[in-house]
Amino acid sequence: RRWDAPDALAAPGRALALRDGYLVIVEGAARLTVLDAGNGERWAALRPNSEIMPQQVVLLGRERVAELGPLGLDTTLRLIDSEGTTAIPLPGPARWMVPWGDGVLVVLGDGRAVAYPAVTAVALPEELVRGGAPAVSADGLVRDGRCWAWR
């Protein structure tokens, strides 16, 4: 598929990551763009107020993302939308995060899983908590050929 060229004034991409069917692009001038990897449709065009890495961003919906950076060290979850950024302090460093309902599920370094922004504990299988971030699919969370189905 061939995508139309961006506006000539658009900032060049500095870093990108492909995650769960979407492409996260961090551009100069503090811009973040999220595109559908299949058809190039823009899902988000945001201006976060901090430097971010695309690997640490998950898409929550149109014009909404969550960001943690760097995993294993950072203790602040940032929810970013067109209105700005909401910073949520975490009780410890995070291992990984995935979209969860209308928010984000964060697995902390100590093995606890918490859904934000509601701050609700979530029980997950130990095998899922221990490893790296799973991929998100219509069937559930997937990692290493194994699927933990949605309930």
Side-chain angles (χ1 to χ4, degrees):
R1 169 145 170 47
R2 190 171 174 174
W3 295 343
D4 294 333
D7 182 295
L9 298 177
R14 292 189 296 112
L16 60 92
L18 180 62
R19 181 171 185 163
D20 301 326
Y22 57 89
L23 185 64
V24 180
I25 305 165
V26 174
E27 301 174 279
R31 291 173 30 163
L32 172 72
T33 301
V34 181
L35 303 173
D36 183 294
N39 64 15
E41 181 182 1
R42 187 172 74 190
W43 282 86
L46 302 168
R47 289 188 172 268
N49 59 6
S50 63
E51 285 294 317
I52 60 177
M53 295 299 297
Q55 300 86 343
Q56 296 154 212
V57 172
V58 295
L59 180 66
L60 302 180
R62 289 223 180 253
E63 303 297 333
R64 276 186 75 223
V65 300
E67 185 260 335
L68 272 172
L71 293 174
L73 298 173
D74 200 354
T75 58
T76 303
L77 170 68
R78 284 167 284 288
L79 303 178
I80 305 166
D81 61 22
S82 58
E83 302 295 316
T85 300
T86 301
I88 301 172
L90 300 175
R95 285 187 191 174
W96 52 264
M97 67 175 174
V98 293
W100 190 261
D102 63 350
V104 63
L105 177 67
V106 177
V107 172
L108 301 168
D110 63 9
R112 289 182 290 161
V114 183
Y116 290 94
V119 191
T120 305
V122 176
L124 294 177
E126 183 63 29
E127 316 83 70
L128 179 58
V129 170
R130 272 191 267 122
V136 177
S137 78
D139 296 325
L141 299 176
V142 179
R143 184 179 59 231
D144 299 331
R146 190 155 176 216
C147 179
W148 288 270
W150 301 118
R151 294 181 189 192

